[in-house]
Amino acid sequence: MASSRDVIAMLNELILLTTLDEESSQSFKVRAYDNARLAVESYTGNITELSEKEMIALKGIGKATASMIHELVDTGTVNKLENLRVEYPPAFAEMSRIPGVGPKTLKAMRRELNINNVAQLKAALDMQQIRTLDRMGAKSEDKIAKALERIGMSGKDRRTPIADAMPLAERLVEAFLELPTVTDAVFCGSLRRMSETIGDIDITVASTNPVSVMEAVRERSEVAEIVLSGDTKTSFLTNTGLQVDVRAVLPKHFGAATLYFTGSKQHNIALRQRALKKGWLLNEYGLLVKPDQDAEDQTPTEVVAAKTEESIYQALGLGFIPAPMRESTGEIEAAEKGNLSDLIQLSDIKGDLHYHTEQSGDGRSSVADMVQVAADAGHAYLAITDHGEDLAINGSNAEEMLAHRELIYKIQGDHPDMKLLWGCELNIDGNGGLDYDDDFRAMFDYTVASVHSHYDQSATKQTERLVAAIADPTVDSIGHLTGRKIGHRPGIELEIDIVLEALKHFDVALEINGSLNRLDAAADVVRRAVDRGVKLVINTDSHHTSELGRMEYGVLTAQRGWAPKDQVINTWDQDRFLAWVASHRST
Ligand code: DGT
Ligand code: CA
Ligand code: CA
Ligand code: ZN
């Protein structure tokens, strides 16, 4: 059974491969797929349950796309996509990810130099062959080499940005859960731990009939190449060269298996040593009693715990350790002392404080719709922070902001239980200056200040810039601290201790941005902020009604940084939060 997610994945792949095929991201077809994707993302039900006619009635979906969606639902695959995959195999298509290398160049490289994958591209760079192509020179070679380095495509152990791995993993888990013999499924490994880049995706499935799960895996439309497939494990490569390991286990082993395959390896080793001290063995089948040294049969038979991770931790005398913390950096000692109970959880979140609407040039949903989904999420407060005027393409001037305020306050009337704040995402310029004049800025109910430019200054200069923004009395929080885009742009360099000290001193909150492309501040910075007593705020930075799920990724990143609930300002109830905001405005 296909879901909306499958359809979005199909459209994404069509967009990628059609862009390659037509050598343009602006062709009629690519734009049609792009509009269709937006429509599917906006549709709240399962798009695959609609008839073609109903689909076409939605804004953005044309006849050709609707019929492809139906083909996917009916046959599990789309002919057009299959043909494109033959023309542009995974290893070739994945080179589209290299910044600055467009479809024309990729195809010329293939035609003239027989370059079909990254390894061959690197060899050609080494031999200075790229400069022999039309409109390419030594400078372009240097640029490509640097881009490969930056996005982690150089070196043997290439890693995939979490934003590229997560949707696929979530979609597969969702699909496996629908199989009749499956009782549970979860993605494990570095992805579940919220690493920023992923070596491969590991999925563990609990089934009364593991072999049938393996059959279902091999049938998936994402499979470009099977690496290996046995009775309990199948590994395959996707069209972008990402490896997926799927393991199927009996339900009684599920907890032990997910614990093992979530890792980290160091965390597993520490748990195993703890088990040994109690006379037990810990492996992917369970926590087991070690057979007597002189027993004839050394196969362990007596099970202490195996079905759930909780039961295993409990038997080992530990509270449950959330996956993002399992990096062997003191979490076992903390769980032993019972110190993890105040850790931030998704259910603690009471509001979103970085949130865009159509008022921002890159915002895609109306104020009313954006407010409605926040209300549906049960938020007690919401700061609408559209871009300030200095963000030339996307921002609003003072006059437009005042009109925007009118609209927000009007919509407030429809939502008596949720406090709406008229906010702004202030742009931090190269020297730490901010949008508007001081008096106008001071009028906002709430602000987040962020870096959107000048990524290449020295660490000293960047630190001065940030501290100047933090010291400004109109700033309540700092958004996506470094401006990084994982796997694409490194983000500004900072003397982080100085920045954290300034945040603490001026009582400004540090954002954990839940967009998988950002996850900024990063978990290691969060952990240092926690130690220093810096206030935190977890935001979605939504630009569309479909992006509220980012809150979960933000919370998981906060867990990876060991953030306690009380230090995160958007876990506070409405009165306490508003009192804090008011205190900022009176000083
Ligand atoms: P990755 O894929 O490089 O981003 O990182 P992981 O952590 O997902 O590593 P992966 O895929 O090689 O293995 C998944 C988990 O399986 C790993 O986190 C812990 C467990 N595991 C794998 N090999 C070993 C091992 O030799 N010993 C132990 N104790 N655990 C292992
Ligand atoms: Ca992995
Ligand atoms: Ca693996
Ligand atoms: Zn934003």
Side-chain angles (χ1 to χ4, degrees):
M1 247 273 300
S3 65
S4 292
R5 278 186 183 167
D6 295 316
V7 174
I8 291 168
M10 172 194 77
L11 290 168
N12 276 328
E13 200 178 339
L14 269 174
I15 290 167
L16 177 85
L17 298 185
T18 310
T19 301
L20 255 179
D21 197 49
E22 309 202 329
E23 303 186 358
S24 162
S25 56
Q26 294 306 316
S27 77
F28 174 76
K29 262 193 227 160
V30 174
R31 276 185 295 139
Y33 298 149
D34 208 34
N35 288 335
R37 181 183 55 183
L38 269 179
V40 177
E41 279 173 357
S42 308
Y43 185 70
T44 47
N46 182 353
I47 195 89
T48 65
E49 287 166 7
L50 299 186
S51 71
E52 268 181 46
K53 216 167 150 195
E54 288 168 321
M55 275 185 216
I56 295 167
L58 296 177
K59 198 176 135 222
I61 302 186
K63 197 166 175 336
T65 316
S67 117
M68 273 194 289
I69 295 175
H70 263 254
E71 191 185 343
L72 179 76
V73 176
D74 294 342
T75 69
T77 131
V78 176
N79 209 358
K80 183 157 207 158
L81 188 54
E82 294 296 331
N83 292 339
L84 284 166
R85 282 174 173 179
V86 172
E87 181 68 23
Y88 308 104
F92 182 74
E94 78 161 339
M95 290 194 287
S96 309
R97 262 188 54 212
I98 307 169
V101 180
K104 273 205 180 68
T105 309
L106 279 179
K107 284 162 104 174
M109 291 191 315
R110 179 158 82 173
R111 199 171 52 238
E112 311 289 330
L113 300 169
N114 201 22
I115 294 170
N116 293 293
N117 55 47
V118 175
Q120 289 168 348
L121 172 57
K122 272 189 283 188
L125 285 169
D126 288 343
M127 292 187 288
Q128 308 194 331
Q129 285 177 333
I130 301 295
R131 63 183 68 176
T132 64
L133 295 175
D134 253 13
R135 288 188 316 252
M136 300 296 260
K139 255 207 190 125
S140 349
E141 285 181 350
D142 192 48
K143 258 198 196 148
I144 296 174
K146 286 219 174 81
L148 284 176
E149 189 83 28
R150 193 149 39 89
I151 65 173
M153 267 196 185
S154 65
K156 256 200 239 72
D157 38 16
R158 247 187 25 232
R159 302 183 65 80
T160 300
I162 185 170
D164 295 340
M166 186 66 87
L168 171 63
E170 288 180 342
R171 187 164 83 244
L172 288 169
V173 164
E174 188 176 272
F176 296 149
L177 282 169
E178 286 190 4
L179 297 175
T181 70
V182 168
T183 58
D184 218 336
V186 66
F187 55 84
C188 300
S190 52
L191 187 60
R192 184 166 174 226
R193 302 199 310 276
M194 290 298 287
S195 300
E196 294 164 3
T197 62
I198 307 303
D200 65 5
I201 296 178
D202 301 278
I203 297 178
T204 308
V205 182
S207 165
T208 50
N209 182 359
V211 174
S212 70
V213 176
M214 297 295 108
E215 280 163 22
V217 174
R218 291 192 297 267
E219 296 290 303
R220 291 291 307 177
S221 64
E222 293 88 352
V223 176
E225 186 184 323
I226 300 272
V227 179
L228 63 93
S229 185
D231 289 349
T232 58
K233 179 180 176 185
T234 295
S235 294
F236 68 86
L237 296 178
T238 69
N239 195 37
T240 58
L242 176 59
Q243 178 161 331
V244 183
D245 294 344
V246 185
R247 299 170 180 92
V249 304
L250 293 172
K252 65 179 178 183
H253 297 140
F254 187 64
T258 59
L259 186 63
Y260 183 87
F261 293 115
T262 297
S264 67
K265 203 164 159 181
Q266 293 310 316
H267 179 84
N268 287 355
I269 291 169
L271 285 183
R272 221 154 41 218
Q273 281 164 349
R274 199 178 166 86
L276 280 176
K277 282 200 198 118
K278 298 184 186 264
W280 298 331
L281 297 169
L282 178 62
N283 59 29
E284 63 265 52
Y285 298 101
L287 184 61
L288 310 159
V289 178
K290 212 172 157 196
D292 209 48
Q293 253 181 14
D294 29 60
E296 218 164 276
D297 187 355
Q298 284 291 313
T299 324
T301 49
E302 200 181 328
V303 179
V304 182
K307 201 159 189 256
T308 66
E309 290 185 342
E310 283 82 354
S311 67
I312 297 171
Y313 279 118
Q314 192 181 21
L316 291 171
L318 302 170
F320 180 76
I321 302 178
M325 295 181 84
R326 300 180 194 169
E327 296 289 352
S328 197
T329 57
E331 72 276 11
I332 294 180
E333 293 75 8
E336 184 170 35
K337 294 196 198 108
N339 286 350
L340 300 186
S341 54
D342 59 351
L343 193 74
I344 176 85
Q345 307 290 338
L346 182 59
S347 55
D348 297 326
I349 296 294
K350 294 199 169 65
D352 200 336
L353 301 173
H354 183 169
Y355 205 71
H356 296 269
T357 72
E358 272 173 354
Q359 185 65 37
S360 297
D362 54 353
R364 297 189 274 123
S365 304
S366 68
V367 180
D369 287 352
M370 289 301 288
V371 169
Q372 185 59 51
V373 290
D376 293 344
H379 287 330
Y381 41 86
L382 178 71
I384 295 174
T385 56
D386 284 301
H387 288 294
E389 64 181 345
D390 283 351
L391 202 57
I393 3 168
N394 292 328
S396 303
N397 63 29
E399 197 184 326
E400 291 161 341
M401 272 296 183
L402 289 173
H404 188 42
R405 177 172 68 175
E406 289 309 303
L407 177 59
I408 291 169
Y409 287 178
K410 185 166 153 267
I411 289 174
Q412 172 71 81
D414 302 330
H415 298 278
D417 295 335
M418 180 169 68
K419 174 72 181 172
L420 291 182
L421 296 110
W422 168 59
C424 182
E425 180 170 15
L426 299 166
N427 205 42
I428 305 175
D429 74 18
N431 298 313
L434 301 162
D435 305 71
Y436 313 109
D437 58 47
D438 292 358
D439 289 341
F440 189 78
R441 238 176 18 245
M443 288 165 62
F444 288 110
D445 299 333
Y446 182 87
T447 66
V448 48
S450 332
V451 163
H452 295 106
S453 66
H454 300 82
Y455 293 100
D456 291 328
Q457 311 185 92
S458 71
T460 309
K461 177 88 179 136
Q462 301 286 28
T463 303
E464 284 169 11
R465 172 191 192 189
L466 255 297
V467 170
I470 292 165
D472 190 286
T474 66
V475 170
D476 296 306
S477 61
I478 295 293
H480 47 71
L481 180 65
T482 71
R484 71 172 179 174
K485 291 275 176 80
I486 297 170
H488 301 278
R489 181 172 74 203
I492 61 173
E493 284 181 40
L494 288 171
E495 290 163 38
I496 194 66
D497 287 314
I498 296 176
V499 173
L500 292 177
E501 201 45 50
L503 287 164
K504 170 86 181 145
H505 179 81
F506 291 101
D507 194 29
V508 166
L510 174 65
E511 175 182 81
I512 302 168
N513 189 296
S515 162
L516 287 175
N517 286 308
R518 296 187 181 274
L519 300 180
D520 193 9
D524 59 321
V525 172
V526 172
R527 193 155 172 193
R528 286 160 83 166
V530 166
D531 288 343
R532 278 178 181 264
V534 172
K535 289 191 177 67
L536 301 167
V537 54
I538 307 173
N539 292 321
T540 65
D541 195 0
S542 286
H543 289 67
H544 186 260
T545 51
S546 66
E547 290 170 341
L548 269 61
R550 293 176 176 181
M551 189 60 84
E552 181 183 2
Y553 307 133
V555 168
L556 290 169
T557 299
Q559 289 185 342
R560 194 167 165 82
W562 291 47
K565 170 186 168 177
D566 204 54
Q567 215 164 323
V568 180
I569 62 169
N570 55 328
T571 66
W572 298 349
D573 63 29
Q574 200 187 74
D575 288 348
R576 184 176 173 197
F577 168 69
L578 293 177
W580 179 75
V581 172
S583 77
H584 264 205
R585 271 152 187 71
S586 59
T587 52

